Amino acid sequence: MIFHSFFGNPTCTLLFDYDGVIADSMEIKNLAYKYSLSKFNIPSQVIDRVQLLNAGLSRYKVLEAIYHEWTGLVIPSETLEEVSRLFDSKDKELEKNITIYEDAIQFIKKSSIFYQLILITGIRQAVIERSLKNNGLINYFEEIKGSPTNKEDHLTNFINERKIYPPNCFFLGDGLVDQKAAEKCNIKFIGVDRGKASFIVKSFTHVIQSFSEIKIDQFGVVTRRAV
């Protein structure tokens, strides 16, 4: 599979998800979800499955989905606020254990020389900015967009405000939410599958397991690394 024809345009924009794509953080989030919902005795496998299916959404949306999956009910607003606070406290406690993928670090540093990089995530704005700053990556992104705005709205606003031509954009994500948002905005989706991806592989879906599979040369041309 050759990416030259896609990334060869120096005006293109690369949009990234964070959890599971740049950061090895899915397990940390999983522990935070289980901690925050512990009093409801929801089986671990239910939380695991619903988290994966809703990867890319804000913690509010995922907590709502898990609660509804197990109880069949809409979570009361006061309960949602309570479990969200518990999630935030555990997530912050465990944040120091999050690992940034080395291949992602190298790809971001190299590609930022040639392309505009945008981060779009379901993580709260303050949290994602803190994480990027702590890991020395914040200055490589021209824009960082977190929750509460959803990804599709972020993409739509980005295209409209910057008058961007969608076919010149690529969304690198691991979730079905990422894939659907990209498709609705006519942006090409590249699936990053590190073992817990939830996107659907279609005939036109480009899939990588690591950013090391992509090579960026000094002229800004990106191609699939030869095997």
Side-chain angles (χ1 to χ4, degrees), residues 110 211-215 223-227:
K110 292 177 182 177
F211 288 111
S212 62
E213 296 175 49
I214 303 174
K215 179 182 178 182
T223 58
R224 181 68 175 267
R225 186 185 298 277
V227 178

Side-chain angles (χ1 to χ4, degrees), residues 12 26 84 154 177 193 203:
C12 83
M26 294 295 285
S84 295
H154 273 316
V177 170
D193 185 359
S203 60

Side-chain angles (χ1 to χ4, degrees), residues 116-128:
Q116 176 178 236
L117 307 188
I118 309 293
L119 187 74
I120 296 181
T121 175
I123 302 173
R124 285 183 300 143
Q125 190 72 29
V127 174
I128 187 59

Side-chain angles (χ1 to χ4, degrees), residues 71-91:
T71 66
L73 303 172
V74 175
I75 188 170
S77 57
E78 62 272 17
T79 303
L80 179 58
E81 289 301 323
E82 177 190 351
V83 296
S84 295
R85 285 194 295 272
L86 290 171
F87 176 92
D88 291 344
S89 66
K90 179 59 69 171
D91 188 46

Side-chain angles (χ1 to χ4, degrees), residues 88-178:
D88 291 344
S89 66
K90 179 59 69 171
D91 188 46
K92 187 172 184 179
E93 174 191 330
L94 298 173
E95 190 178 79
K96 62 182 180 296
N97 298 324
I98 292 176
T99 300
I100 305 299
Y101 293 111
E102 183 60 30
D103 60 279
I105 294 174
Q106 296 307 315
F107 182 79
I108 288 167
K109 289 181 177 180
K110 292 177 182 177
S111 61
S112 67
I113 298 171
F114 307 107
Y115 307 119
Q116 176 178 236
L117 307 188
I118 309 293
L119 187 74
I120 296 181
T121 175
I123 302 173
R124 285 183 300 143
Q125 190 72 29
V127 174
I128 187 59
E129 289 182 0
R130 182 176 68 239
S131 183
L132 289 171
K133 185 175 181 180
N134 290 343
N135 288 286
L137 294 175
I138 195 165
N139 292 328
Y140 292 101
F141 294 94
E142 292 198 22
E143 287 191 48
I144 299 163
K145 300 293 187 181
S147 66
T149 304
N150 64 52
K151 291 183 178 180
E152 184 181 339
D153 287 345
H154 273 316
L155 289 176
T156 300
N157 293 338
F158 170 73
I159 290 168
N160 292 336
E161 290 171 5
R162 294 212 176 193
K163 309 251 185 282
I164 297 295
Y165 182 52
N168 280 351
C169 299
F170 302 84
F171 196 158
L172 297 103
D174 68 336
L176 184 59
V177 170
D178 304 330

